[in-house]
Amino acid sequence: MTFRLGRPRFEAAFARCAGRVVLCVYGAWYANAGGVDDAAIADVGNAAEWLTYGRNHNEQRFSPLDRVNSGNVAELKVDWYLDIAEPVGLVSTPLVADSVMYFVDSRNVVRAVDAVGGELLWTYDPEVARHAADRMRIAFLHGSRGLALWGERVYVATVDGRLIAVEVATGRPMWTTPTIDPSKAMYITGAPKAFRGKVLIGNGGTEHGPARGYVTAYDAETGEEVWRFYIVPGNPADGFENAAMAMAAKTWTGEWWRTGGGGNVWHGMTYDPEFNAVYIGTGNGSPWNRRIRSPGGGDNLFLSSVLALDADTGDYRWHYQTTPGETWDYNSNMDMVLADLRIGGRDVKALLHAPKNGFFYVIDRRSGRLISAEPFAEVSWASHVDTETGRPVETPGARYPDGESVRVTPGPPGAHNWPPMSFNPVHGLVYIPTIHEAFAFSDEGVDVGRWRSPDWLAPVPGGGHGVAIRQVPLPPDRPVGTLQAWDPVRQRRVWEVAFDTAWNPGTLTTGGDLVFQGTADGDFVAYHAATGEELWREHMGLGISAPPITYGIGGRQYVALLVGWGSTPATSGGHDNYRLGWAYRGHPRRLVVFSLDGKHTVPASPLPAPPLPLDDPELVVDEDLVGHGAEVYGNCRMCHGGGAVSGGGSPDLRASRVVLSDTAFDAVVRGGALTAQGMPAFPALADRHLEALQHYIRRQARTALGLDPVAASAAADVPP
Ligand code: CA
């Protein structure tokens, strides 16, 4: 294990800070040099700041700071906090530069805060409710996962596809550039990536219409496009953009371009200054079912891959495909961590990747060659990965080849989704928020030959994926979520903590032998990095969906966390998330910052309380209308939850008085009365659609009131 910067440098940094109040250590030095650049982002010794999504270009989420450590973390107290008045999801990684913290919420509002005192310095609101229109329906509540810093600017990408440069000193927008065609079913929830004077951004949309994923690099100064790389080939009749697309086209069959192909880059992007490469984690196929999008089979490059591109030109360098011919939503969009490892007696420039498909990959990033891959969760779709060929050895029948229902692990949410893992180079361990779920796949009843891609946002019975999925329970003694410490060299689990919630947020690890992670049920916890022993726990009053960060200013180490239940569990709803009791508007959202010198505790929040469904005893529920209403509800499910059971990111409609009033319901649903709050208008719905929705929602409410309150909430969540 190599760790270039030893402790003396950090101690020296702190020593230089002594006596200075606000600006100190490396932060001020970089600010004087003209703002954030590659040297600053790459410098793992710059512990005063957190300059990019994963802290450094290596995306390790490791800070060498050790003022807070395994011996004293029990003394950690609230130093300051900032309440966020709006009922927004907070899922982003805050950035810290020059003693100012920047973060973004689910409506893409950017806030700058004094990282020492907690004073709000400015707010920039890109007004996504006004720009996003129907796009809100698929992306609004998932929330932005982060920002990028370069020079004297902070960059935010909005759900409606704009990339905006904002001046760090003032919060004033400097330029705005559209990155997607507004007629396409695309949106952005990811953090931009800044390197070498460029800002890179992808998009999501694989599940929502014909989508052909791509990433685009823009000039950080001007917003001009520098290069664009498509993830999958287009129609050969139009000619291929480059040799890589011609190569990829040989791995597709039929008329794949009609469904777009997919591959959208909605999350993981890592810049590697040692090789001047960017690594792109690519999305799943569109639609999920390969029999539809590529009926003659094929690997379908570059779906579900790690793709290495030249950082200056966007030219193809190499790829490693984690799931050839994917057909289970096994995208490879998860974070990619760079680490120097010693494996089998030689030094390896490694890329570490734990995608949805359940294998932990160690890849040689000079060449893209697979070094090793082992399952970090139950994997039933493949028996193992052949390290000679680099390919998975699939389990017979896993592709639901005859339409029958097949139990598959991991499920579409993956064994690991976007909540980032961290890597501690001192202990040589990766800390992975892990999901353990099983789903049944079937394309029985889907007319594979005549399947058409769904219109932009039109709800398709059975989902727009060309396959029906249904969650199936795990054995009762098996946890649905865990935090795992994984040794990437030996490819084995070292310790594990079990949770009774599947989705838990990303992790932070430090030179103080610590791992920090929030939980879906509202605790913030510190573990010993080597053993997993729990050392500190604080209840935050609301479910946590964001990863923590740490930074050091003036000799004080701060640990910061956004507390604001959001993203998939808050919006997809269902039993597990409803019972947590994080009702919409029920609990304050806030930024909380801890230190050993803190004097405060987390302010009290209302106790968790799932909303109580209402009944309208006058209404005679019509079962025919309920059936029709269940179909219309496909428009609502993405935010209000499967089975009308909300996860807390939006109102639970069974408990909504708006639904009980014909006039109020019409004003909100068709009239757009709550557009500013994130509820889009549906002017095209007919009277009978509204009535059917009301009957469906009342039936769901009565079922909940009469018997098991969640019995009707079994509709499967759609993961990102
Ligand atoms: Ca997907």
Side-chain angles (χ1 to χ4, degrees):
M1 193 60 46
T2 55
F3 179 47
R4 287 190 293 112
L5 295 170
R7 188 150 296 159
R9 181 162 168 190
F10 306 120
E11 293 299 340
F14 273 127
R16 280 205 297 280
C17 271
R20 298 173 66 181
V21 181
V22 178
L23 299 178
C24 73
V25 209
Y26 299 95
W29 184 79
Y30 286 120
N32 293 339
V36 175
D37 61 13
D38 280 313
I41 302 174
D43 184 357
V44 297
N46 174 17
E49 301 183 303
W50 187 292
L51 294 177
T52 193
Y53 184 70
R55 197 179 93 86
N56 294 119
H57 275 321
N58 61 26
E59 296 291 327
Q60 290 181 356
R61 289 178 181 266
F62 168 76
S63 168
L65 288 172
D66 61 1
R67 281 288 155 97
V68 178
N69 56 55
S70 56
N72 62 18
V73 66
E75 311 296 317
L76 207 56
K77 279 249 193 320
V78 175
D79 198 299
W80 56 268
Y81 64 91
L82 178 73
D83 281 354
I84 312 294
E86 297 83 15
V88 288
L90 297 170
V91 304
S92 74
T93 298
L95 303 181
V96 177
D98 206 6
S99 296
V100 177
M101 187 186 301
Y102 307 90
F103 65 95
V104 58
D105 71 24
S106 56
R107 292 176 194 172
N108 300 157
V109 173
V110 184
R111 291 173 176 85
V113 179
D114 173 1
V116 174
E119 181 198 354
L120 182 65
L121 302 175
W122 53 255
T123 296
Y124 169 66
D125 183 356
E127 300 185 323
V128 289
R130 192 162 63 79
H131 286 85
D134 275 357
R135 206 164 264 102
M136 283 197 292
R137 289 160 57 186
I138 54 172
F140 197 57
L141 291 155
H142 282 291
S144 173
R145 291 182 294 274
L147 303 163
L149 283 163
W150 187 264
E152 305 284 0
R153 288 164 187 179
V154 61
Y155 299 85
V156 58
T158 64
V159 292
D160 51 288
R162 288 170 293 155
L163 180 65
I164 304 171
V166 178
E167 191 176 52
V168 293
T170 62
R172 194 163 55 95
M174 306 298 285
W175 55 255
T176 297
T177 191
T179 73
I180 60 180
D181 174 347
S183 71
K184 297 272 169 57
M186 289 180 176
Y187 58 89
I188 301 176
T189 54
K193 171 69 57 189
F195 55 88
R196 287 176 73 83
K198 292 181 274 296
V199 183
L200 184 69
I201 190 68
N203 49 65
T206 318
E207 270 77 33
H208 303 283
R212 184 186 180 207
Y214 57 85
V215 288
T216 316
Y218 296 92
D219 185 291
E221 285 295 311
T222 64
E224 297 287 317
E225 181 177 323
V226 181
W227 55 259
R228 174 169 288 183
F229 189 92
Y230 285 94
I231 306 306
V232 297
N235 185 344
D238 299 334
F240 297 117
E241 288 84 359
N242 49 50
M245 286 297 102
M247 172 176 83
K250 298 193 174 87
T251 67
W252 291 76
T253 53
E255 297 181 319
W256 70 86
W257 57 91
R258 292 186 184 281
T259 63
N264 296 57
V265 180
W266 54 266
H267 185 65
M269 301 186 293
T270 298
Y271 172 65
D272 184 347
E274 288 182 80
F275 297 101
N276 194 34
V278 285
Y279 307 115
I280 309 293
T282 72
N284 52 278
S286 175
W288 293 2
N289 190 340
R290 188 183 64 171
R291 293 171 71 202
I292 295 169
R293 65 168 195 269
S294 186
D299 286 353
N300 294 180
L301 292 172
F302 298 101
L303 297 182
S304 303
S305 301
V306 176
L307 190 55
L309 304 176
D310 183 288
D312 292 337
T313 62
D315 288 341
Y316 168 91
R317 290 259 189 91
W318 55 256
H319 74 276
Y320 177 80
Q321 190 173 41
T322 55
T323 310
E326 92 82 22
T327 199
W328 308 272
D329 192 26
Y330 285 163
N331 62 53
S332 234
N333 293 99
M334 288 69 235
D335 47 332
M336 292 154 289
V337 173
L338 311 184
D340 296 339
L341 301 179
R342 185 137 184 103
I343 302 176
R346 75 186 178 95
D347 293 326
V348 175
K349 295 286 178 192
L351 181 149
L352 312 179
H353 185 46
K356 278 185 173 185
N357 76 13
F359 287 100
F360 189 97
Y361 294 87
V362 180
I363 296 167
D364 184 337
R365 58 187 210 265
R366 291 175 195 273
S367 60
R369 193 179 65 83
L370 178 70
I371 293 170
S372 62
E374 293 293 335
F376 64 95
E378 180 189 303
V379 172
S380 75
W381 70 276
S383 62
H384 64 287
V385 177
D386 182 331
T387 44
E388 286 304 309
T389 63
R391 296 179 67 89
V393 178
E394 286 183 19
T395 308
R399 288 182 178 271
Y400 41 98
D402 306 312
E404 78 283 29
S405 183
V406 177
R407 178 189 182 275
V408 178
T409 53
H416 175 216
N417 207 291
W418 69 264
M421 60 190 193
S422 58
F423 172 68
N424 189 314
V426 179
H427 293 283
L429 296 176
V430 181
Y431 306 97
I432 315 168
T434 313
I435 299 170
H436 306 271
E437 288 177 338
F439 276 69
F441 282 72
S442 164
D443 62 11
E444 203 164 15
V446 175
D447 190 343
V448 170
R450 298 182 59 192
W451 193 90
R452 61 170 181 83
S453 58
D455 293 334
W456 163 213
L457 286 171
V460 176
H465 318 313
V467 55
I469 55 162
R470 179 172 53 85
Q471 189 167 359
V472 291
L474 293 177
D477 59 329
R478 300 256 303 276
V480 294
T482 57
L483 167 63
Q484 296 191 68
W486 188 266
D487 179 340
V489 173
R490 290 167 192 82
Q491 284 280 22
R492 62 178 176 87
R493 184 178 303 109
V494 174
W495 55 259
E496 186 171 35
V497 176
F499 306 114
D500 56 8
T501 51
W503 276 76
N504 290 287
T507 62
L508 159 72
T509 185
T510 74
D513 301 321
L514 294 172
V515 177
F516 287 93
Q517 186 192 29
T519 68
D521 51 11
D523 286 350
F524 190 26
V525 189
Y527 304 94
H528 196 291
T531 65
E533 181 193 353
E534 183 181 312
L535 301 174
W536 173 80
R537 176 181 291 261
E538 180 96 15
H539 188 64
M540 308 298 285
L542 177 61
I544 298 160
S545 303
I549 66 159
T550 189
Y551 56 97
I553 298 174
R556 190 177 287 197
Q557 181 182 354
Y558 299 89
V559 179
L561 178 71
L562 287 164
V563 179
W565 186 234
S567 186
T568 302
T571 54
S572 58
H575 176 180
D576 286 348
N577 302 311
Y578 175 76
R579 75 175 164 74
L580 290 171
W582 307 129
Y584 184 69
R585 287 191 185 278
H587 306 85
R589 271 70 176 150
R590 52 174 64 112
L591 166 64
V592 186
V593 179
F594 295 86
S595 80
L596 292 174
D597 302 293
K599 305 256 185 298
H600 310 284
T601 52
V602 179
S605 278
L607 290 173
L612 286 178
L614 299 168
D615 191 26
D616 173 5
E618 309 275 293
L619 183 77
V620 178
V621 171
D622 179 323
E623 278 300 328
D624 288 342
L625 281 176
V626 167
H628 179 46
E631 283 179 35
V632 180
Y633 186 77
N635 289 286
C636 321
R637 204 181 67 102
M638 191 68 79
C639 295
H640 291 283
V645 181
S646 171
S650 302
D652 190 294
L653 297 181
R654 302 167 307 164
S656 168
R657 296 198 176 276
V658 168
V659 186
L660 294 175
S661 155
D662 292 349
T663 44
F665 195 51
D666 192 3
V668 169
V669 177
R670 287 195 295 209
L674 296 178
T675 305
Q677 283 76 23
M679 168 67 194
F682 295 81
L685 291 182
D687 288 349
R688 62 190 168 83
H689 292 134
L690 289 196
E691 189 185 6
L693 263 182
Q694 285 174 303
H695 279 254
Y696 171 70
I697 293 164
R698 280 286 70 72
R699 202 278 305 265
Q700 295 302 86
R702 284 186 184 169
T703 307
L705 287 166
L707 295 161
D708 179 354
V710 293
S713 67
D717 297 349
V718 177

